[in-house]
């Protein structure tokens, strides 16, 4: 499982990328990509200024 | 685009463009890449900068100055106000910029100095050989390229990957990032001479709200909170609460978000064939979040060190240590002091903030230095002095100016 990014909420600021321990996130142009190294730790979801990220339960 | 350069700079913010410009001016063959198709947009910044220092690196141009301010007003939760002149208010007061134009002007300066600029070009990895960075892997318009260079400079912002790829752990913990949201507002009553700051745990948990005038009846109204306070409530919701109370009739004409490193200095910012600059090097101020000037200043040093390293055909971490040493001497101590101040001030309850605010209210801080201001605070609040004694230890080689007369 990987974190889900709501592209309709995301402001593509890259804050989530900076806190991701395995470096699974990447900001490309106006969207966030998540690769398979995501551990579902949820740190990105916590710090997102708009709440655009969600760890699937 | 060629297949090799002396220096590749990743990221065309103020730090990257300054690095590229300085290196190009020193005669190096420089490539400056920016992953966005537009340099400087969207902005992720409150856009305040100290005008005195800025002039050292770029000639002021009305095209990128939205407003000029005299100082700052800091509001405690109960409304007690402390006013500070530009000199002591910190590096974030003076000009309020139009970053979209400013960043582009800096990139243009780099281009005019001889650097090649490529937009919509993203670094996806480093070329490594024998423990040395030898260039980057890049993508441009869905094509992949390997571009070689003697030195790679990572100026790739808060979301930096360049350092990580070279083995420098720049990952921020939630408490090390300020998560921010900002509206550009119009049709609101603002004090056009001052940047305003609102502190308080309710209003902005471990952070603050800012109102920076942008000219023409506009202002950047934003909030930053420390990452570990985010989750249950978020920067955007808190900003909406503030705006609803403070500017109920105001109109929002732009919305931006961003993350600012507030961790203080990291362990290292150089590796073999690599330097980090600006937010990528976590050179932003832990208290104010300001980093425009810090990045430009560090970028200038990085550009000069790159030129020196290439002249001596030595791009090892040992040689590039010159950059590390210089920026730490000039800036590292300030960042670490700021970190101590942040750790203490962010623990203050709203009642304590009110007490502090009232202890300084009405005091003329016109010509006081930051140290003088802190001293005035301590005289009024002895408990703080003990908690912040480390700062004074850290700056004992500075003139303490403890004798500064605070005129009530």
């Amino acid at each position: 499982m990987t974190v889900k990014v709501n592209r309709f909420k995301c402001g593509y600021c890259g804050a989530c990328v900076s806190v991701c321990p395995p470096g699974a996130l990447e900001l490309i142009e106006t969207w966030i990509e998540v690769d398979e190294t995501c551990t579902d730790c949820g740190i990105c979801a916590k710090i997102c200024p708009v709440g655009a990220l969600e760890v699937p339960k | 685009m060629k297949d090799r350069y002396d220096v590749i700079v990743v990221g065309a913010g103020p730090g990257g463009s300054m690095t590229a410009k300085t290196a190009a001016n020193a005669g190096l063959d420089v490539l400056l890449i920016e992953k966005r198709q537009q340099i400087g947009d969207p902005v992720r910044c409150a856009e305040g900068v100290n005008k005195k220092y800025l002039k050292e690196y770029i000639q002021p141009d009305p095209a990128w100055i939205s407003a000029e301010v005299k100082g700052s007003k800091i509001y405690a939760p109960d409304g007690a106000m402390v006013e500070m002149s530009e000199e002591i208010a910190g590096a974030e007061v003076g000009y309020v910029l139009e970053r979209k134009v400013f960043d582009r002007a800096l990139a243009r300066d780099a281009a005019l100095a001889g650097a090649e600029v490529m937009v919509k070009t993203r670094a996806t990895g480093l070329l490594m050989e024998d423990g040395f960075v030898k260039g980057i892997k890049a993508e441009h318009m869905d094509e992949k390229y390997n571009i070689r260079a003697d030195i790679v400079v990572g100026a790739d912002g808060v979301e930096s990957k360049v350092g990580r790829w070279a083995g420098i752990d720049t990952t921020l913990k939630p408490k090390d990032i300020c998560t921010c949201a900002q509206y550009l507002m119009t049709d609101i009553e603002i004090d056009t001479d001052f940047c305003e700051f609102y502190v308080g745990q309710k209003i902005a948990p471990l952070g603050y709200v800012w109102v920076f005038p942008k000219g023409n009846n506009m202002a950047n109204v934003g909030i930053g909170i420390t990452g570990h306070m985010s989750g249950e409530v978020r920067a955007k919701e808190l900003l909406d609460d503030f705006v609803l109370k403070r500017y109920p009739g105001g109109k929002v004409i732009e919305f931006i978000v961003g993350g600012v490193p507030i961790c203080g200095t990291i362990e290292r910012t150089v590796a073999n064939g690599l330097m980090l600059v600006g937010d990528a090097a976590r050179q932003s101020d832990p208290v104010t979040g300001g980093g425009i000037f810090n990045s430009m200043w560090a970028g200038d040093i990085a550009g000069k060190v790159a030129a020196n390293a290439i002249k001596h055909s030595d791009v090892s971490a040992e040689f590039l240590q010159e950059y590390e040493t210089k920026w730490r001497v000039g800036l590292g101590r300030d960042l670490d002091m700021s970190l101590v101040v942040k750790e203490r001030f962010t623990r203050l309850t709203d009642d304590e903030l009110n007490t502090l605010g009232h202890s300084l209210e009405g005091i003329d801080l016109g010509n006081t230095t930051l140290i003088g201001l802190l001293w005035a605070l301590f005289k009024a609040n002895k408990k703080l002095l003990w908690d912040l004694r480390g700062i004074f230890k850290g700056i004992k080689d500075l003139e303490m100016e403890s004798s500064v007369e605070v005129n009530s």
Side-chain angles (χ1 to χ4, degrees):
Chain A
M1 294 295 275
T2 56
V3 67
K4 279 166 77 175
V5 186
N6 184 337
R7 285 177 60 178
F8 299 97
K9 276 190 182 178
C10 175
Y12 39 98
C13 70
C16 54
V17 179
S18 71
V19 297
C20 177
L25 301 174
E26 178 73 336
L27 170 61
I28 302 169
E29 308 262 338
T30 55
W31 68 91
I32 295 289
E33 288 205 344
V34 190
D35 73 21
E36 71 288 350
T37 59
C38 173
T39 62
D40 285 345
C41 72
I43 295 175
C44 57
K46 180 178 173 60
I47 65 93
C48 176
V50 295
L53 297 131
E54 200 184 334
V55 179
K57 293 202 174 102
Chain B
M1 181 182 56
K2 298 184 290 188
D3 56 12
R4 103 157 285 292
Y5 295 82
D6 294 325
V7 177
I8 296 172
V9 181
V10 180
S17 288
M18 271 305 298
T19 308
K21 175 182 146 183
T22 307
N25 275 335
L28 300 187
D29 198 9
V30 180
L31 174 65
L32 172 63
I33 68 166
E34 167 56 49
K35 69 180 174 184
R36 299 170 174 182
Q37 56 190 13
Q38 287 164 304
I39 287 167
D41 194 17
V43 172
R44 302 171 183 167
C45 178
E47 305 184 293
V49 71
N50 183 305
K51 61 186 176 196
K52 185 170 85 181
Y53 297 131
L54 193 67
K55 283 176 191 158
E56 292 172 28
Y57 296 119
I58 185 166
Q59 197 56 37
D61 181 345
W64 46 253
I65 299 167
S66 293
E68 261 191 90
V69 292
K70 293 181 191 158
S72 295
K73 288 180 174 175
I74 303 171
Y75 291 90
D78 70 354
M81 190 269 285
V82 179
E83 186 178 313
M84 292 197 285
S85 67
E86 189 195 331
E87 287 73 27
I88 56 163
E92 286 59 55
V93 175
Y95 291 140
V96 180
L97 302 175
E98 184 65 25
R99 280 285 305 269
K100 291 167 195 165
V101 182
F102 178 75
D103 285 26
R104 193 192 293 159
L106 287 171
R108 182 197 58 197
D109 281 358
L112 291 177
E116 186 178 335
V117 182
M118 282 192 70
V119 296
K120 213 173 169 69
T121 305
R122 185 170 66 93
T124 57
L126 294 173
L127 304 175
M128 299 289 297
E129 282 169 25
D130 306 323
F132 277 73
V133 176
K134 290 286 186 183
I136 61 167
K137 296 173 192 171
E139 275 185 27
H140 172 68
M141 300 297 285
D142 207 23
E143 296 282 340
K144 292 180 167 54
Y145 302 88
N146 285 351
I147 318 171
R148 297 182 65 85
D150 294 325
I151 294 174
V152 171
V153 175
D156 48 337
V158 67
E159 76 264 41
S160 177
K161 287 279 177 76
V162 171
R164 291 196 201 204
W165 292 330
I168 301 172
D169 184 13
T170 54
T171 312
L172 297 172
K173 294 185 174 66
K175 72 171 177 55
D176 292 334
I177 187 169
C178 185
T179 166
C180 309
Q182 176 177 279
Y183 292 132
L184 176 61
M185 297 192 68
T186 190
D187 210 6
I188 56 175
E189 287 285 323
I190 45 162
D191 187 339
T192 55
D193 286 334
F194 288 89
C195 285
E196 295 181 339
F197 299 89
Y198 296 81
V199 294
Q201 303 302 353
K202 276 198 204 77
I203 205 165
L206 307 195
Y208 61 85
V209 167
W210 63 84
V211 179
F212 287 5
K214 285 277 285 178
N216 295 321
N217 205 23
M218 294 188 290
N220 284 335
V221 181
I223 188 170
I225 63 173
T226 303
H228 67 282
M229 302 304 286
S230 172
E232 296 288 309
V233 285
R234 295 180 188 276
K236 183 178 180 299
E237 297 156 18
L238 290 163
L239 178 61
D240 286 333
D241 291 347
F242 177 84
V243 163
L244 197 66
K245 281 193 195 107
R246 184 73 180 77
Y247 303 115
K251 287 153 191 152
V252 173
I253 54 174
E254 190 175 281
F255 171 55
I256 60 159
V257 281
V260 180
I262 51 168
C263 54
T265 55
I266 55 173
E267 201 182 324
R268 65 191 173 104
T269 58
V270 300
N272 291 327
L274 180 117
M275 291 182 274
L276 298 177
V277 164
D279 279 8
R282 311 317 189 198
Q283 287 164 336
S284 44
D285 187 287
V287 169
T288 64
I292 300 170
F293 178 77
N294 293 356
S295 311
M296 292 170 67
W297 176 84
D300 185 56
I301 298 173
K304 286 171 180 154
V305 170
N308 202 19
I310 284 168
K311 193 173 109 189
H312 288 87
S313 303
D314 183 357
V315 298
S316 67
E318 289 74 39
F319 196 98
L320 299 179
Q321 183 66 31
E322 184 189 350
Y323 165 69
E324 182 102 49
T325 304
K326 279 188 172 160
W327 84 255
R328 282 183 196 277
V329 167
L331 179 64
R333 189 179 59 179
D334 289 355
L335 295 184
D336 290 336
M337 271 169 55
S338 267
L339 189 64
V340 176
V341 171
K342 184 199 81 173
E343 301 281 333
R344 182 61 190 92
F345 274 78
T346 50
R347 276 190 282 126
L348 294 172
T349 64
D350 282 11
D351 284 344
E352 288 170 322
L353 284 167
N354 289 336
T355 307
L356 278 184
H358 285 285
S359 71
L360 290 181
E361 203 170 29
I363 292 177
D364 178 10
L365 294 166
N367 296 311
T368 319
T369 62
L370 182 59
I371 299 305
L373 171 72
L374 288 173
W375 194 255
L377 269 177
F378 297 147
K379 283 210 285 198
N381 310 272
K382 297 264 160 48
K383 199 156 67 77
L384 264 185
L385 179 60
W386 179 249
D387 287 339
L388 289 172
R389 63 198 182 281
I391 293 180
F392 284 91
K393 253 189 227 158
I395 55 167
K396 61 172 184 259
D397 50 328
L398 278 179
E399 256 193 275
M400 276 280 295
E401 291 177 277
S402 54
S403 58
V404 164
E405 277 306 307
V406 179
N407 306 312
S408 320

